[in-house]
């Protein structure tokens, strides 16, 4: 399994797990969900709902990662930022997984993906376990989720309002809404010094050079562009 810590901090990350040949689902139209019923909210909700377009003079507000649909960065003034990927999800009861076995499935499609990631849903103690395979049992990967707010609804196979932490890390969350939208949220701290920004999450930190160019902020490492942040409403 790829290193989820590096995945989150490299800004261009697409997904923790990826499989091919799964059914596509509809794309989410915004980066935060609005449903008829009261939606669950985590600590990032306020800035995600109210952030103004990102500043070019300092790291503040909302930015979209260029060429990465549905991927945003929100920078707060207190040294906290949120990496957010939007997507959609659906369930398939007694479906067929990639190994041809019958199982209850979660199909999750982040907006950066052309096809859904397919997960077999099981439970153990107070955790929901999502398991996927890429090329057979030898490539099986597993993600352990614990509900921290709202309904623990993944195993019930119907859309719901709930937030889970992954791998026992509250900074690494999945948010599910009744309208079929979902979000991967990585809470990070950041520090700016001179022309560099350091991002830290889950005990791992990366330092990038940055500069403004064509109304964007360009992050680079060893003269190679890592990501381009575009101020957006």
């Amino acid at each position: 399994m790829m290193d989820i810590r590096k995945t989150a901090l490299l800004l261009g990350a697409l997904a923790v797990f990826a499989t091919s040949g799964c059914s596509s689902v509809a794309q989410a139209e915004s980066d935060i969900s609005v449903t008829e019923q009261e939606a669950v909210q985590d600590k990032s909700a306020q800035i995600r709902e109210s952030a103004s377009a990102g500043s070019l003079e300092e790291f503040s507000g909302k930015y979209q990662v260029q060429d990465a649909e549905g991927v945003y960065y929100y920078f707060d003034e207190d040294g906290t930022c949120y990496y957010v990927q939007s997507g959609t999800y659906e369930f398939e009861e007694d479906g067929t997984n990639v190994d041809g076995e019958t199982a209850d499935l979660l199909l999750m499609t982040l907006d950066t993906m052309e096809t859904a990631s397919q997960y077999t849903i099981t439970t153990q103690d107070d955790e929901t376990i999502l398991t996927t395979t890429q090329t057979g049992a030898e490539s099986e990967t597993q993600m352990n989720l614990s509900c921290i707010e709202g309904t623990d609804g993944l195993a019930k196979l119907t859309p719901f309002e709930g937030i889970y932490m992954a791998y026992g890390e509250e900074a690494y969350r999945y948010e599910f809404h009744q309208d079929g939208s979902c979000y991967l949220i990585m809470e990070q701290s950041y520090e700016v010094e001179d022309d560099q920004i350091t991002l830290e999450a889950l005990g791992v930190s990366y330092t990038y050079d940055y500069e403004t160019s064509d109304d964007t902020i360009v992050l680079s490492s060893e003269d190679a562009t890592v990501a381009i942040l575009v101020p957006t409403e």
Side-chain angles (χ1 to χ4, degrees):
M1 182 176 65
M2 68 176 68
D3 188 330
I4 63 169
R5 300 173 181 180
K6 291 183 179 179
T7 298
L9 289 168
L10 286 176
L11 291 96
L14 301 181
V16 179
F17 300 128
T19 58
S20 61
C22 305
S23 301
S24 297
V25 292
Q27 296 290 320
E29 295 182 354
S30 65
D31 54 309
I32 190 164
S33 174
V34 178
T35 62
E36 294 182 359
Q37 298 185 10
E38 184 176 356
V40 292
Q41 295 183 331
D42 72 352
K43 64 180 70 176
S44 70
Q46 182 174 356
I47 187 171
R48 288 163 61 196
E49 292 173 338
S50 63
S52 57
S55 171
L56 294 177
E57 298 179 356
E58 59 181 349
F59 286 91
S60 176
K62 177 181 178 180
Y63 305 83
Q64 183 167 11
V65 179
Q66 190 174 85
D67 299 325
E69 184 178 354
V71 181
Y72 297 88
Y73 248 99
Y74 297 83
F75 287 85
D76 212 339
E77 297 178 353
D78 64 355
T80 301
C81 60
Y82 300 93
Y83 171 91
V84 179
Q85 285 190 259
S86 61
T88 56
Y89 74 101
E90 63 181 2
F91 297 102
E92 188 174 334
E93 187 174 2
D94 294 330
T96 303
N97 65 20
V98 293
D99 291 326
E101 301 168 341
T102 299
D104 292 333
L105 303 176
L106 168 68
L107 303 179
M108 184 161 55
T109 308
L110 297 176
D111 291 350
T112 51
M113 302 162 59
E114 294 183 358
T115 57
S117 290
Q118 182 191 85
Y119 303 93
T120 298
I121 304 169
T122 57
T123 59
Q124 182 176 345
D125 298 327
D126 293 329
E127 290 188 324
T128 299
I129 301 172
L130 302 181
T131 304
T132 186
T133 57
Q134 296 181 0
T135 57
E138 70 277 5
S139 298
E140 184 174 274
T141 52
Q142 181 173 295
M143 179 164 57
N144 292 44
L145 299 178
S146 300
C147 184
I148 58 174
E149 190 169 342
T151 301
D152 185 3
L154 280 174
K156 297 178 181 178
L157 307 182
T158 57
F160 67 103
E161 293 283 334
I163 299 174
Y164 290 78
M165 67 176 177
Y167 304 106
E169 299 281 358
E170 288 199 22
Y172 183 23
R173 303 187 288 273
Y174 280 89
E175 181 179 295
F176 296 90
H177 293 285
Q178 283 186 331
D179 65 357
S181 63
C182 62
Y183 302 88
L184 183 160
I185 303 168
M186 177 66 69
E187 181 178 339
Q188 303 176 17
S189 62
Y190 73 95
E191 184 176 349
V192 178
E193 184 174 355
D194 297 327
D195 295 327
Q196 293 186 319
I197 182 171
T198 298
L199 298 171
E200 181 175 355
L202 307 179
V204 179
S205 64
Y206 287 90
T207 298
Y208 303 102
D209 299 317
Y210 74 89
E211 62 180 355
T212 58
S213 176
D214 297 327
D215 296 325
T216 65
I217 297 178
V218 180
L219 303 186
S220 61
S221 178
E222 297 180 351
D223 296 324
T225 298
V226 175
I228 298 175
L229 304 184
V230 183
T232 185
E233 296 285 352

